[in-house]
Amino acid sequence: MNMQETARLILGLRAAGWNEKAINDFMLFIESGEEQYKPKLDSSTNNTPQAK
């Protein structure tokens, strides 16, 4: 993924209501595959992934 695609992804996640911690954890999950960074849905916030 190049820098332009990464920027668009981050902006899209912000527009979808993700907080910065959730975005960072998601990016770490994409790159590392580590389960600790896998997004968790939070039913109290319209299923928007939230930071742990």
Side-chain angles (χ1 to χ4, degrees), residues 15-47:
W18 288 39
N19 65 38
E20 297 300 317
K21 175 79 168 108
I23 292 171
N24 290 337
D25 283 351
F26 183 59
M27 299 297 283
L28 286 169
F29 175 69
I30 291 171
E31 290 297 320
S32 70
E34 291 185 33
E35 289 292 316
Q36 68 183 2
Y37 299 117
K38 188 174 182 177
K40 306 276 189 274
L41 294 180
D42 182 355
S43 60
S44 68
T45 59
N46 233 3
N47 289 331

Side-chain angles (χ1 to χ4, degrees), residues 3-14:
M3 292 296 287
Q4 186 176 22
E5 293 167 333
T6 302
R8 287 180 180 162
L9 174 63
I10 292 168
L11 291 172
L13 293 173
R14 284 180 180 169

